[in-house]
Amino acid sequence: MEIAQAIRNDSHLPAWSPEAFEAQLRDKGRSYHIHHPFNVRMNSGGCTPDEIRCWVANRFYYQICIPRKDAAILANMPDRAHRRLWIERILDHDGHGDYEGSAAGGIEAWTRLGEAVGISREDLWSLQGVVPAVRFACDAYVNFAAKAPWQEAVCSSLTEMFAPQIHKDRLATWPTHYPWIEASGLAYFRSRIPLATRDVEHGLQVTLSYFNTREAQHHALDILQFKLDILWTMLDAIEKACQ
């Protein structure tokens, strides 16, 4: 999948400095789905139990696609040092070691979130609650990660820059607005805050070094926008499914 690039008048200029380029990347947070009306309503206590369950069931498909996406990127990485860092992302979601407690992985933690909101493990894993547009968006992301140069796929992961705040918001507001949700089910959000911060460090290192011309830097911004659009589109579809 190719990422469309707009025609810019400054592509002939020297590359931004690493600091200026990082600032441009971080500025993309204005398009993060933390600002989507459904997410705002959800974190303000405006969702019904059925809407929360709809969101959890659909986001589960994204959760199980994440290690597939990361495995696709890993397969394209020729450098062992990068693979050693990137494989941690797969283990974070699929689990590792004895697969107990925090080692159970993010997918298991999301399964427990599903149970906490009233979705049985069997129903969640059946994927019957996943709407077609969410499947399409997630599958498009996995397909992009498999076919793009690995550095471009790494760049797309930089939405993690914006993730800690969305998890902090849920941890701060859900216990008050949705006391019917078992508190233990919120462990996924808590676990992702330090992991996202760690992942961003590696992703930024790759992106800032690989995209080293102004034209390439604009392409990186387009890639990040593509990923932001996927996350936004998923919420569009979930919001419609809840109507």
Side-chain angles (χ1 to χ4, degrees), residues 106-128:
I107 292 175
E108 179 61 25
W110 197 273
T111 301
R112 292 172 184 170
L113 172 62
E115 292 173 331
V117 302
I119 308 173
S120 71
R121 179 179 295 263
E122 293 74 18
D123 285 346
L124 189 69
W125 279 83
S126 74
L127 304 181
Q128 292 302 306

Side-chain angles (χ1 to χ4, degrees), residues 219-237:
H219 185 47
L221 293 171
D222 289 336
I223 291 169
L224 184 54
Q225 186 63 54
F226 161 74
K227 173 62 183 307
L228 289 163
D229 289 347
I230 283 177
L231 295 171
W232 194 277
T233 298
M234 287 173 57
L235 272 189
D236 282 345

Side-chain angles (χ1 to χ4, degrees), residues 16 19-29 218 221 224:
W16 288 306
E19 294 78 15
F21 181 29
E22 180 177 341
Q24 292 276 349
L25 292 164
R26 291 189 180 276
D27 189 56
K28 283 289 184 181
H218 277 305
L221 293 171
L224 184 54

Side-chain angles (χ1 to χ4, degrees), residues 1 6 8 48-49 56 72 76 81 90 96 107 115 121 123 146 148 151 160 162 164 173 190 193 196 216 222 228 239:
M1 176 179 291
R8 277 105 175 183
T48 67
V56 170
N76 291 330
I90 300 174
H96 54 89
I107 292 175
E115 292 173 331
R121 179 179 295 263
D123 285 346
Q151 296 94 335
E160 292 281 13
F162 320 120
T173 62
R190 190 171 295 106
I193 295 171
D222 289 336
L228 289 163
E239 184 174 44

Side-chain angles (χ1 to χ4, degrees), residues 163-164 167-168 171 188-198:
H167 297 316
K168 290 175 183 177
L171 289 167
Y188 175 87
F189 306 137
R190 190 171 295 106
S191 70
R192 285 306 306 170
I193 295 171
L195 295 178
T197 302
R198 179 206 67 191

Side-chain angles (χ1 to χ4, degrees), residues 43-60:
N43 285 352
S44 299
C47 284
T48 67
D50 282 345
E51 287 176 321
I52 294 291
R53 285 189 279 270
C54 178
W55 178 78
V56 170
N58 277 278
R59 279 286 300 197
F60 180 66

Side-chain angles (χ1 to χ4, degrees), residues 9-235:
N9 295 325
D10 66 342
S11 294
H12 64 287
L13 295 177
W16 288 306
S17 69
E19 294 78 15
F21 181 29
E22 180 177 341
Q24 292 276 349
L25 292 164
R26 291 189 180 276
D27 189 56
K28 283 289 184 181
R30 292 180 298 171
S31 299
Y32 192 51
H33 67 289
I34 195 171
H35 304 296
H36 191 286
F38 184 86
N39 184 73
V40 172
R41 182 161 63 88
M42 182 166 60
N43 285 352
S44 299
C47 284
T48 67
D50 282 345
E51 287 176 321
I52 294 291
R53 285 189 279 270
C54 178
W55 178 78
V56 170
N58 277 278
R59 279 286 300 197
F60 180 66
Y61 190 69
Y62 178 74
Q63 301 305 318
I64 63 175
C65 283
I66 290 174
R68 292 174 51 214
K69 174 267 297 184
D70 287 327
I73 297 173
L74 187 72
N76 291 330
M77 279 182 171
D79 185 85
R80 182 173 64 170
H82 284 300
R83 291 198 303 269
R84 283 173 168 171
L85 293 173
W86 202 263
I87 199 170
E88 292 295 326
R89 296 171 179 250
I90 300 174
L91 299 176
D92 287 342
H93 285 276
D94 281 340
H96 54 89
D98 60 4
Y99 304 101
E100 298 291 335
S102 61
I107 292 175
E108 179 61 25
W110 197 273
T111 301
R112 292 172 184 170
L113 172 62
E115 292 173 331
V117 302
I119 308 173
S120 71
R121 179 179 295 263
E122 293 74 18
D123 285 346
L124 189 69
W125 279 83
S126 74
L127 304 181
Q128 292 302 306
V130 181
V131 298
V134 169
R135 287 179 183 266
F136 185 85
C138 294
D139 291 348
Y141 185 39
V142 174
N143 182 60
F144 168 76
K147 295 184 176 180
W150 68 269
Q151 296 94 335
E152 294 190 4
V154 167
C155 176
S156 72
S157 75
L158 285 177
T159 51
E160 292 281 13
M161 291 188 295
F162 320 120
Q165 188 59 54
I166 206 169
H167 297 316
K168 290 175 183 177
D169 288 351
R170 291 165 187 158
L171 289 167
T173 62
W174 280 34
T176 299
H177 295 314
Y178 309 111
W180 54 272
I181 299 176
E182 295 180 22
S184 61
L186 305 182
Y188 175 87
F189 306 137
R190 190 171 295 106
S191 70
R192 285 306 306 170
I193 295 171
L195 295 178
T197 302
R198 179 206 67 191
D199 292 345
V200 166
E201 182 178 350
H202 181 213
L204 273 175
Q205 174 193 356
V206 171
T207 299
L208 296 178
S209 62
Y210 179 74
F211 297 92
N212 55 14
T213 67
R214 180 70 66 91
E215 184 177 10
Q217 290 170 335
H218 277 305
H219 185 47
L221 293 171
D222 289 336
I223 291 169
L224 184 54
Q225 186 63 54
F226 161 74
K227 173 62 183 307
L228 289 163
D229 289 347
I230 283 177
L231 295 171
W232 194 277
T233 298
M234 287 173 57
L235 272 189

